[in-house]
């Protein structure tokens, strides 16, 4: 894969920051968009913009076709059928949609099939100690509303999940197992097959956060066996404000709506309403039409390069980053497990606050993320409140990594520690 050649599609990368060539290593927070994504949105707005589905006019029909084609393209990217993909505004909304829908089922809303999703006091929701807040707080809230108990699969020091503990925790009372495919702090690819098998053995629903895997690994959600999964457009070369919720058809069928209103109904009277089948049941109101079309262009771009190649390239960059970081005195990697991973590392710099380290790197043109990366409990697990995270994407080069390592080696000397 020729990352240097791809960069021509990402003009933003071709600039100097603070007198140095920009080295963008913050793609786990948001990725950059290639020209075909910007072009697709622009073309839509310039030539076809209209609200979808109910218009009698030509532009509305064109917009509807483009929007539904985008659904088919993005669904296909994760191995799903078009009606298994619900548009959301991002991963956070997708996870809240699932949690609120199950909450609604728990108070008797929805079709008869919804009862199978209902939680009762004492039922258990299992998540992990390494989640992004988006895959933690909605479950805390759902537990509080239903009387369910929230439990967590712990992680080993190397960042891998403790599967022996998972086998103990996932039991007869478990109704939901929610876990991330790849942690946005650790970069480790979690053992989906094992977690799905444990959940299935007790009839629990699986919910996977695929934000940090969808842009970096070939992803076939049906063959992974998860019931529900979310991903976020802006982390996979796509626009802000759009994401996807994938669901197995039987599960989506059983879920009551979360948001209600226009575009998700068959009939409405002053006293009640009948709802459309999925995915429209979950798409109340005007959808992010242009962003969805942009996201389809983004996944076409990723597919054009090839996810196997993207993964191999980013893995090479991750290995190079690790080799350099472990040589720098005072740097401690969070989650230094050997197995499968994507191209990101988070680290702690002894004696230097992560924010200071980040500012120093910025003064050398290096863009990284600092803080708890919306995973405060995971940082507490490592005894820190913040870390520095360098995260690569397909457009990063070996030169980027070397410039980052060169600058990183200067952090502690600069601060005199
Ligand atoms: N899950 C993970 C692992 C993430 O990295 C993020 C974004 O930082 C999210 C969920 C939330 O995604 P969004 O802000 O796009 O809803």
């Amino acid at each position: 894969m020729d990352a240097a050649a791809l960069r021509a599609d990402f003009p933003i990368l071709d600039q100097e920051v603070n007198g140095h060539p920009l080295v963008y290593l913050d793609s786990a927070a948001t990725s950059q968009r290639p020209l075909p994504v910007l072009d697709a949105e622009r073309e839509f707005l310039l030539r076809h913009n209209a609200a979808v589905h109910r218009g009698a006019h030509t532009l509305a029909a064109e917009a509807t076709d483009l929007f539904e084609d985008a659904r088919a393209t993005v669904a296909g990217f994760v191995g799903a059928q078009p009606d298994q993909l619900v548009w959301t505004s991002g991963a956070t909304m997708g996870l809240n949609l699932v949690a609120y829908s199950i909450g609604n089922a728990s108070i008797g809303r929805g079709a008869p099939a919804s009862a199978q999703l209902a939680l009762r006091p004492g039922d258990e929701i299992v998540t992990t100690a390494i989640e992004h807040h988006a895959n933690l707080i909605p479950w805390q809230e759902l537990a509080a509303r239903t009387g369910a108990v929230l439990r967590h699969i712990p992680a080993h020091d190397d960042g891998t999940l403790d599967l022996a503990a998972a086998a103990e925790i996932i039991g007869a009372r478990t109704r939901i197992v929610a876990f991330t495919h790849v942690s946005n702090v650790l970069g480790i690819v979690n053992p989906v097959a094992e977690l799905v098998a444990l959940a299935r053995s007790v009839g629990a629903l699986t919910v996977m956060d695929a934000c940090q895997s969808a842009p970096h690994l070939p992803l076939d959600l049906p063959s992974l066996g998860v019931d529900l999964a979310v991903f976020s457009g802006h982390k996979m070369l796509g626009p802000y404000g759009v994401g996807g919720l994938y669901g197995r058809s039987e599960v989506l069928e059983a879920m009551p709506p979360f948001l209600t209103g226009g575009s998700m109904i068959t009939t409405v009277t002053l006293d009640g309403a009948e709802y459309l089948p999925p995915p429209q049941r979950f798409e109340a109101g005007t959808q992010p039409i242009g962003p969805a079309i942009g996201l389809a262009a983004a996944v076409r771009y990723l597919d054009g390069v090839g996810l196997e190649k993207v993964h191999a390239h980013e893995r090479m960059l991750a290995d190079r980053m690790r080799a350099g970081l472990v040589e720098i005195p005072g740097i401690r990697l969070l989650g230094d497990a050997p197995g499968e991973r994507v191209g990101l590392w988070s680290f702690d710099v002894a004696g230097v606050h992560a924010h200071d380290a980040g500012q120093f790197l910025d003064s050398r043109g290096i863009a990284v993320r600092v803080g708890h990366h919306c995973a405060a409990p995971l940082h507490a697990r490592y005894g820190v409140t913040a870390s520095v995270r360098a995260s690569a994407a397909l457009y990063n080069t070996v030169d980027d990594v070397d410039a980052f390592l060169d600058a990183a080696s200067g952090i502690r000397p600069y601060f005199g520690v």
Side-chain angles (χ1 to χ4, degrees):
M1 207 200 83
D2 188 351
L6 288 185
R7 290 168 77 92
D9 293 328
F10 297 84
I12 194 170
L13 298 174
D14 183 21
Q15 61 176 305
E16 292 208 339
V17 168
N18 295 321
H20 297 269
L22 169 64
V23 173
Y24 187 77
L25 288 172
D26 197 17
S27 295
T30 202
S31 56
Q32 300 300 346
R33 288 36 147 187
L35 290 171
V37 170
L38 308 183
D39 290 346
E41 274 202 275
R42 186 177 149 85
E43 172 69 11
F44 170 71
L45 292 171
L46 286 178
R47 314 245 9 120
H48 311 287
N49 183 37
V52 296
H53 288 150
R54 290 160 313 279
H57 59 85
T58 301
L59 288 193
E62 288 172 3
T64 302
D65 286 349
L66 287 166
F67 181 62
E68 291 304 331
D69 284 355
R71 189 193 304 275
T73 301
V74 175
F77 180 72
V78 293
Q81 296 302 314
D83 62 2
Q84 296 178 312
L85 181 82
V86 178
W87 295 117
T88 64
S89 63
T92 303
M93 179 184 161
L95 291 162
N96 275 281
L97 188 164
V98 172
Y100 274 90
S101 172
I102 294 173
N104 287 341
S106 306
I107 54 167
R109 301 297 301 154
S114 303
Q116 65 187 272
L117 297 171
L119 295 183
R120 291 172 193 82
D123 283 348
E124 292 179 359
I125 304 169
V126 174
T127 179
T128 84
I130 65 170
E131 298 304 316
H132 188 284
H133 298 163
N135 200 23
L136 175 63
I137 304 173
W139 306 119
Q140 294 174 345
E141 286 291 316
L142 179 62
R145 282 199 300 278
T146 58
V149 176
L150 188 58
R151 304 188 67 190
H152 310 286
I153 301 168
H156 297 294
D157 285 348
D158 69 0
T160 54
L161 291 174
D162 183 340
L163 285 179
E168 298 279 314
I169 290 168
I170 297 172
R173 304 254 24 199
T174 309
R175 304 297 316 285
I176 300 168
V177 180
F179 59 89
T180 191
H181 194 185
V182 173
S183 150
N184 64 313
V185 177
L186 306 168
I188 297 166
V189 180
N190 286 317
V192 178
E194 283 84 344
L195 293 167
V196 167
L198 284 172
R200 278 196 180 158
S201 72
V202 297
L205 194 75
T206 46
V207 183
M208 189 173 83
D209 179 348
C211 274
Q212 299 293 347
S213 54
H216 305 298
L217 309 168
L219 194 60
D220 187 89
L221 293 170
S223 69
L224 284 177
V226 291
D227 292 311
L228 297 158
V230 300
F231 50 88
S232 184
H234 72 98
K235 293 183 195 288
M236 46 200 290
L237 315 186
Y240 292 115
V242 67
L245 165 66
Y246 155 82
R248 281 204 307 114
S249 301
E250 307 86 278
V251 176
L252 288 179
E253 286 289 347
M255 283 168 54
F258 158 44
L259 297 176
T260 52
S263 309
M264 47 79 72
I265 45 83
T266 50
T267 54
V268 187
T269 66
L270 285 178
D271 298 318
E274 299 286 329
Y275 304 131
L276 282 164
Q280 279 80 18
R281 183 189 302 160
F282 305 105
E283 296 179 351
T286 304
Q287 294 300 297
I289 304 164
I293 291 163
L295 180 53
V299 303
R300 274 197 297 273
Y301 188 91
L302 284 166
D303 265 340
V305 177
L307 267 292
E308 293 283 358
K309 286 184 188 161
V310 169
H311 180 43
H313 173 72
E314 293 174 5
R315 177 66 209 234
M316 178 274 291
L317 296 179
D319 290 347
R320 195 176 180 96
M321 265 193 227
R322 182 188 179 280
L325 286 169
V326 296
E327 293 301 321
I328 302 175
I331 282 188
R332 174 178 62 130
L333 297 174
L334 305 189
D336 190 12
E340 272 296 285
R341 61 167 44 253
V342 301
L344 76 82
W345 289 101
S346 298
F347 55 93
D348 171 47
V349 186
V352 182
H353 195 281
H355 286 87
D356 293 334
Q359 274 180 358
F360 173 79
L361 292 173
D362 182 56
S363 74
R364 303 292 189 275
I366 319 278
V368 295
R369 185 127 304 237
V370 297
H372 55 49
H373 321 304
C374 298
L378 173 56
H379 280 78
R381 161 77 179 71
Y382 282 104
V384 290
T385 53
S387 65
V388 182
R389 179 183 71 192
S391 56
L394 72 173
Y395 40 66
N396 287 114
T397 60
V398 164
D399 287 349
D400 285 345
V401 171
D402 291 350
F404 158 68
L405 291 171
D406 184 50
S409 67
I411 299 173
R412 291 182 81 236
Y414 177 83
F415 289 102
V417 291

